[in-house]
Each structure stands twice: as structure tokens, then as C-alpha cells.
Amino acid sequence: MAKKRKQQLVEDTPQEQVDESVHDHADDDAAISSEEEDESPPAPAKAPPTASAITSDGRYHNKQRLLLISSRGVTARYRHLLEDLRTLIPHAKKESKLDVGKNYSGSGNGNGGGYGAAVNEIAEVRGCHTVMFLECRKRGQDGYLWLGRTCHANSQMQMAESTNASTKHLMISGGPSVKFHITNIHTMDELKLTGNCMKGSRPILSFDSQFSSNDPNLSHLQIIKHLMIDVFGTPRGHPKSKPFVDRVMAFYYADGKIWVRNYQILEQTATNAKEAQTQRKLTGQSSSTSLIEIGPRFVLNPIRIFRGSFGGQTLYVNEEFVNPNVVRSLEKKEKGERYVKRKGAEKKRKRYEEELTAVVPVDPLGDVFR
């Protein structure tokens, strides 16, 4: 009976009312589903880009220090170069020269001519993270520049992470390190350029596009670039540095070598309206910015890159590098060959004159008018 009454009521109700009731139920279901969605946890917001999140408060956080040292027997040119570099690098620490002795005789594994252990020990005592070591050989004729990270730098970073065998090996060996043959040295006093900069100013490090190239033949330049940044980049907020930038250190890669130059950033403003108008016509601005070379300048020819500090596994070898001893021996050999040719020509001419006098008869009246 109840089913018949319900069917009769449904049949008696008009179609419009049925449609409205269906829509009402659908709206109620949508409202319930929306409330359930609101009760669900909100979706995580997108993280901002990393570049915008990185900010600097200008404080002295990067406390890297550079050990600037040389071997005994450097010439005046190398000594003035080290003094110029010490002036330009405020976070450098100067140390006495290393003397050649039995204590520094290495095992022949390329560890800086036997100086590697001594330099690492000095860097650890002085609390230095990077090293610039200038080694002179053949009475100052050949100069080799070493750049690298010491064992002290790696020990501070890795002791807090883990203590496994591989980490201990890296902690002891340090590195990486690069050995250069330094040539074409010109100091500040020698160049006598018009540029000038404030002592202790922070430089802008400018690298050639080759240092960021994807060419597998130039992959070693990326390691050299990071070492250059650690060595020549002045930490922000260093007590001996100035809070402004007025010079540029440029590193160019050409002919398989690294050419180092130091420039001053010079900003000139027009003194009167006429100069400002002329400058505005040329550049579109009333002021101009230019670079003036200060010095020093030198050329670095990479020889070998080691995984450790002053030794270890070899990561890169420059096959085009020719030892200066070989170059000098070839020059002496060429001079010897020229000397032999000249002496042979003299003997040949003397023998020709003797043969000529023996063939021509003697004139009996040749001495009459003498």
C-alpha cells in the first residue's frame, strides 16, 4: 500500500517540480563536495627561485686565507711580482722563503719539487685554505707557479660530514692543485702605467668564455677557474679589504695559455655642458666608463693538474708543453751547428787559397815595382 501511494504521488506531481527537486539535490551534493575539498589540506605553494632567495648581509662569513710563499733563489723580477700580488690580495699571508735542503727532498712524485709537505704544514699552522707557491729553478731562469687548496681547507669541510676511508684520504691529500710555467712577467714599477687603484679593494674577476665552454678538450679550465676564484677573489667583509670595487682582474685563454691582466675602472664625468653634450652624442650618456691597465701582467702555461695538494693522482697533462731545459738545449745545439758550419767554411776557404797559389806560377818580375 505504501509503494502504491508513493507512485501515485509521483505521477500526480508535475514534471517541472521533479526537475527542480533533482537540481536541488545536485546543488546540495556540490556544496557537500566543496566543503569536503575545503577541509582537505591546501596544496603546497611553489618554492621561489633560488637566485632570488640568495641574499648577502655583507658580513665577514667567507674566512678563506691565502698563503703566499716562494722558494729560495728567486730573482728580483719574481720577488717584485710576489710583492705586487701581496698588495693586490688583502687576504694573503706572507711567509719566509723555503730553503733547498735535505728536509724538502721529495720522493719524485711531482709534489712541488719536494716542497709539498713543507708548504702544507706551513699552511696548516697559519690557518690558510689556499696556497700560491712560486718555485724557481736553474738559478732563477725558470719559474713555476703552484695554485691549490691545502689539506687544512678539506679537513675543516669534511670532518663534520663523515669519517669513512675515502673522506680520510681526501682530508689528508687536500687539493686540487695546478702547476703553471710562468712567463712574460711585467711588474707595476716596470710597466709605468697611468692606472691606479685603492689598496685592498675587491676585484671583479672576469674570465674568458673558454673557461665555461662545454668542449671536452677545455674541461680542465673549469678547475683552474674555481682555483683562481679562491685565490684572487677577496672575501666580502674582510678586515683589510675596502667596501667598494674599482678594479678588474681579467683572465684570457689564448694559444693554450692563460693571460692575466689587471685593470682600473675609471669613471669620467663631464665638467661642463659642452663636454657633456659631446659625450652624450658619442655614447648616449654624460659620463663614460673605461678600463686602464695597472699591472702586473704575466702568462701562465698549465702543465699538470693534481687531485691532491702538490701531488696525487694526475687529472690533466698538457701534452703541448715543452720543458724549458729542452728549449735551451735545442738553442745551444743550433748555436753549435752554426759554429761548426762557420769553422768548416773557414777551413775550406784556406784550403782553396793554398791550392790556388800552388797552381798559379810565380812571376819573377812581380816584386820589381814594390
Side-chain angles (χ1 to χ4, degrees):
M1 295 293 293
K3 292 182 180 181
K4 291 181 179 180
R5 288 179 182 179
K6 288 183 180 180
Q7 291 177 358
Q8 187 177 1
L9 290 174
V10 170
E11 291 175 356
D12 294 339
T13 54
Q15 186 67 26
E16 295 179 358
Q17 294 181 2
V18 174
D19 296 337
E20 289 178 0
S21 63
V22 171
H23 286 296
D24 293 337
H25 287 296
D27 294 339
D28 295 338
D29 296 336
I32 292 171
S33 62
S34 63
E35 290 177 359
E36 292 177 356
E37 290 177 1
D38 294 337
E39 291 178 359
S40 62
K46 293 183 179 181
T50 308
S52 62
I54 297 175
T55 57
S56 176
D57 55 358
R59 295 182 180 180
Y60 182 38
H61 296 290
N62 181 16
K63 298 186 179 181
Q64 294 192 60
R65 289 174 290 273
L66 171 68
L67 178 63
L68 195 61
I69 192 172
S70 66
S71 63
R72 183 73 62 180
V74 295
T75 58
R77 185 181 297 275
Y78 294 115
R79 188 170 62 252
H80 286 291
L81 174 64
L82 289 176
E83 188 65 24
D84 293 342
L85 293 176
R86 191 181 66 84
T87 304
L88 294 175
I89 304 175
H91 63 284
K93 287 189 175 183
K94 189 177 180 180
E95 187 63 28
S96 301
K97 301 175 185 178
L98 287 179
D99 196 0
V100 180
K102 296 182 180 180
N103 295 332
Y104 300 142
S105 59
S107 58
N109 56 355
N111 55 350
Y115 299 103
V119 172
N120 285 325
E121 184 177 355
I122 295 173
E124 184 178 0
V125 172
R126 299 297 300 272
C128 297
H129 303 79
T130 54
V131 173
M132 180 186 293
F133 174 59
L134 182 60
E135 180 185 2
C136 289
R137 298 180 181 178
K138 298 294 181 180
R139 298 180 181 179
Q141 297 183 24
D142 303 334
Y144 298 94
L145 185 67
W146 288 79
L147 298 179
R149 297 185 63 84
T150 61
C151 308
H152 175 67
N154 289 349
S155 62
Q156 286 186 345
M157 292 187 296
Q158 296 171 357
M159 283 181 65
E161 295 178 0
S162 60
T163 57
N164 52 17
S166 60
T167 306
K168 289 182 179 179
H169 174 71
L170 291 175
M171 184 173 60
I172 295 173
S173 61
S177 57
V178 187
K179 182 180 181 181
F180 299 99
H181 181 227
I182 183 169
T183 55
N184 298 338
I185 298 175
H186 299 280
T187 59
M188 289 183 179
D189 296 336
E190 182 183 1
L191 290 174
K192 297 181 180 179
L193 300 174
T194 58
N196 190 10
C197 69
M198 181 64 70
K199 182 178 180 180
S201 61
R202 300 176 65 243
I204 297 176
L205 301 181
S206 175
F207 292 90
D208 193 3
S209 60
Q210 301 292 333
F211 285 89
S212 302
S213 176
N214 296 326
D215 189 358
N217 296 327
L218 301 177
S219 59
H220 64 283
L221 294 180
Q222 298 180 8
I223 301 177
I224 296 175
K225 178 181 177 180
H226 288 287
L227 287 176
M228 292 289 186
I229 292 174
D230 292 339
V231 171
F232 294 99
T234 303
R236 183 170 184 174
H238 192 273
K240 294 184 180 180
S241 65
K242 302 299 186 295
F244 55 84
V245 177
D246 65 345
R247 65 186 182 91
V248 177
M249 286 204 71
F251 303 91
Y252 306 101
Y253 183 76
D255 196 19
K257 302 176 184 178
I258 300 174
W259 306 69
V260 183
R261 297 291 183 268
N262 187 26
Y263 299 97
Q264 176 198 0
I265 303 175
L266 182 63
E267 296 183 358
Q268 294 180 346
T269 307
T271 57
N272 50 42
K274 185 177 180 180
E275 292 181 0
Q277 184 179 4
T278 305
Q279 187 68 26
R280 196 177 292 107
K281 288 182 179 179
L282 295 175
T283 60
Q285 298 178 356
S286 59
S287 61
S288 62
T289 304
S290 59
L291 297 178
I292 300 177
E293 188 175 357
I294 304 173
R297 62 166 71 165
F298 50 91
V299 179
L300 299 176
N301 188 7
I303 302 175
R304 192 182 294 264
I305 299 178
F306 298 97
R307 183 180 180 182
S309 179
F310 294 91
Q313 181 184 359
T314 300
L315 303 179
Y316 168 77
V317 178
N318 187 5
E319 302 293 345
E320 298 180 357
F321 174 73
V322 181
N323 197 309
N325 294 328
V326 178
V327 176
R328 281 192 294 270
S329 64
L330 292 177
E331 291 178 354
K332 292 180 179 179
K333 186 176 180 180
E334 185 180 356
K335 289 182 180 179
E337 291 177 356
R338 291 201 301 266
Y339 176 79
V340 171
K341 290 181 180 179
R342 187 172 65 252
K343 289 298 182 181
E346 291 179 359
K347 292 181 180 179
K348 185 177 180 180
R349 185 172 60 254
K350 186 176 181 181
R351 186 170 59 253
Y352 175 76
E353 292 177 354
E354 292 177 354
E355 293 177 356
L356 186 62
T357 54
V359 172
V360 177
V362 178
D363 187 5
L365 301 177
D367 299 333
V368 173
F369 299 100
R370 290 184 179 180

